[in-house]
Amino acid sequence: MDTVNISSLWNQACEHLQDALHIDVYSRWIAVITPVRVEKETLFLGVDNDFYQSWLEEHYLPLICDALRAVSGKDWNIAFTVNPVDLFTHAEAQPSPKQPPPKTLRERLLPRRQDQRLPLNPKYTMSTFVVGPPNSFAHAAALAVSEAPAKAYNPLFIYGGTGLGKTHLMQAIGHSVSEKNRSHTICYVTCETLLNEYIDALQKRSITDFRKRYRNVDLLLIDDIHFLSGKERIQEEFFHTFNALFDAHKQIIMTSDRPASEINGLEQRLVSRFEWGLVTELEKPDFETRLAILRFKQREMELSVDETVLTFIAENVRSNVRRLEGALVRAVSFMSLTQQPLTLDALKRLLRDTIEEEQQAEISLSAIQKAVAAHYDIRLADMSSTSRPRSIAVPRQVAMYLCRSLTQSSLPDIATAFDKTHATVIHACRTIQNRMDVDQTLRRQVQDISTKLGKSAHSLQQTI
Ligand code: ADP
Ligand code: MG
């Protein structure tokens, strides 16, 4: 085969490969290959260094063979050869073996895009995230991902309760990556927006654009992924987006209010993918961290607030950082309006509602399920399983009863949390309530669990 034929064979194969691969993968790994010569059944392909050679051999050889077979109708052996280096003109520019590949043309030419396309909150950066024991692991993971996107942990899955800093930490990674890699395309989206855009795209028949938008990014940040719960079509779509990005070595970061395995109605294949990389929890801040956050925010606001005020807030507002901030802002606004220092009594009056709410802070359904599972030493998954042995059925009924008794959640919400019907929850509540009247052991168990959840036995109410 002469040279012209080699190039046309290779060009046709490239068209195939372009369709099969992510644009970045194609331009980084395939567009740089030059066809060199043919000897019998072997096609020699030139690459710039042995790093490319080993990478291509490990990752893309079967795809290249498939493409060649498709366009020529026969099987080819592929041999990579390293192009000779032009020492005079390119000596410095040649990447040494094992170094990351050079930037693609796309990376060099495209302007920074993230500023227009994503509304990252400028305040949510690494430097404004206060680190303490309850969030230090998640913070370390976030730093590792921003240092080496798609290499350290992919995907990164951050979960934790409301107002504990998930969005802040996720966006901080976005800022960090965008500062270090100016050409990277970063996309931040809440899962709810993603769903709305998907529905819109289905209606307008613009699903290809939708896919392009999310599959051609370097860093995809999806906030509140638990929103996928029970929504089958978007799960299917997201599954493919996830795979496309993951295969192209793009970083995916997700936040959720609970671990993936506890998101009801989330397909198993997504659960397992979400757990492929690193799963990390943001826990409720302890007293020291709460105080450190308040001190930090106060410095940021350039106001001096008495330490006793900060300590009082840190002691009394425990549930989440958003509330902590809210309490500080109230205190500070009061001081600036009245132009007076704030006494402890005035502060108590000012924060009365917040403190009351804190005291009655809703326990989450999943916290109840966890506490009951731990008490009876059964698996959390048994809470929503269909198995019926008594050793599992009774704890499950206890958990349903406690959900009804200790929270304001509706029967349908409780039913969903246990993957059961509304009628099953009513039956469970009745059964436990009646049995507690005659069975002291059960009554004590239920009371113990509520105490562990921070509720007194008096909080247990008639449920049905
Ligand atoms: P979530 O997404 O978990 O509901 P957010 O990320 O929206 O929580 O955080 C709520 C508020 O608390 C934000 O204003 C955020 O800046 C602040 N915040 C949370 N954690 C921290 C932290 N460790 N340091 C400083 N501010 C924090
Ligand atoms: Mg959030």
Side-chain angles (χ1 to χ4, degrees), residues 47-299:
V47 288
D48 274 350
N49 57 51
D50 63 355
F51 175 71
Y52 271 97
Q53 177 176 349
S54 53
W55 189 269
L56 284 163
E57 283 170 352
E58 279 169 31
H59 295 87
Y60 298 110
L61 199 52
L63 260 180
I64 295 174
C65 290
D66 288 350
L68 285 164
R69 190 182 317 111
V71 298
S72 68
K74 63 181 223 170
D75 287 325
W76 290 90
N77 297 321
I78 302 290
F80 288 102
T81 62
V82 175
N83 295 331
V85 176
D86 179 348
L87 288 171
F88 295 99
T89 51
H90 295 301
E92 280 182 26
Q94 289 302 322
S96 55
K98 306 292 174 206
Q99 273 191 348
K103 284 196 165 150
T104 61
L105 194 60
R106 178 171 171 265
E107 280 172 344
R108 273 180 269 136
L109 295 183
L110 283 183
R112 297 187 72 187
R113 284 211 279 145
Q114 61 271 33
D115 293 343
Q116 299 122 49
R117 61 180 288 154
L118 63 127
L120 281 188
N121 186 330
K123 287 195 215 140
Y124 290 172
T125 64
M126 289 291 178
S127 60
T128 56
F129 190 83
V130 178
V131 185
N135 61 25
S136 62
F137 183 63
H139 177 252
L143 280 184
V145 169
S146 22
E147 289 298 324
K151 295 202 177 71
Y153 306 110
N154 201 15
L156 176 66
F157 189 95
I158 305 169
Y159 74 90
T162 321
L164 294 183
K166 301 181 296 294
T167 302
H168 185 144
L169 195 56
M170 169 187 251
Q171 295 207 3
I173 303 175
H175 282 299
S176 248
V177 170
S178 105
E179 275 157 25
K180 289 191 196 99
N181 312 277
R182 297 180 66 83
S183 61
H184 269 28
T185 313
I186 297 169
C187 176
Y188 166 84
V189 68
T190 63
C191 194
E192 190 174 358
T193 305
L194 189 76
L195 176 70
N196 291 337
E197 286 185 8
Y198 177 63
I199 294 170
D200 216 34
L202 285 176
Q203 280 167 353
K204 294 187 182 143
R205 298 178 190 282
S206 57
I207 202 77
T208 319
D209 289 343
F210 173 86
R211 288 186 182 143
K212 259 196 211 143
R213 188 154 63 242
Y214 290 105
R215 294 185 192 181
N216 285 323
V217 300
D218 296 290
L219 176 64
L220 181 62
L221 310 169
I222 308 249
D223 211 353
D224 294 328
I225 197 90
H226 53 265
F227 203 78
L228 286 181
S229 166
K231 304 184 177 75
E232 284 164 23
R233 280 195 73 178
I234 182 80
Q235 286 188 25
E236 168 81 20
E237 183 62 34
F238 188 65
F239 175 74
H240 295 295
T241 304
F242 183 101
N243 290 346
L245 289 172
F246 189 85
D247 290 347
H249 300 270
K250 303 300 179 190
Q251 178 74 48
I252 303 156
I253 306 177
M254 291 164 284
T255 68
S256 165
D257 67 355
R258 67 199 77 176
S261 57
E262 291 174 27
I263 302 176
N264 269 314
L266 183 66
E267 284 180 33
Q268 195 47 45
R269 58 186 183 162
L270 281 176
V271 173
S272 78
R273 270 166 182 72
F274 291 179
E275 292 170 348
W276 268 351
L278 186 76
V279 177
T280 177
E281 181 177 6
L282 277 175
E283 292 172 37
K284 279 191 187 169
D286 53 9
F287 173 74
E288 282 77 18
T289 310
R290 295 200 295 272
L291 194 57
I293 291 174
L294 287 172
R295 286 189 183 133
F296 178 83
K297 304 265 171 194
Q298 167 219 242
R299 273 201 307 278

Side-chain angles (χ1 to χ4, degrees), residues 291 294-295 298 303-314 328 331-332 335 340-344 347:
L291 194 57
L294 287 172
R295 286 189 183 133
Q298 167 219 242
L303 281 161
S304 89
V305 182
D306 204 88
E307 269 295 297
T308 49
V309 170
L310 297 183
T311 312
F312 179 86
I313 299 176
L328 180 66
V332 165
M335 279 164 31
Q340 279 173 14
L342 194 56
T343 64
L344 217 47
L347 183 62

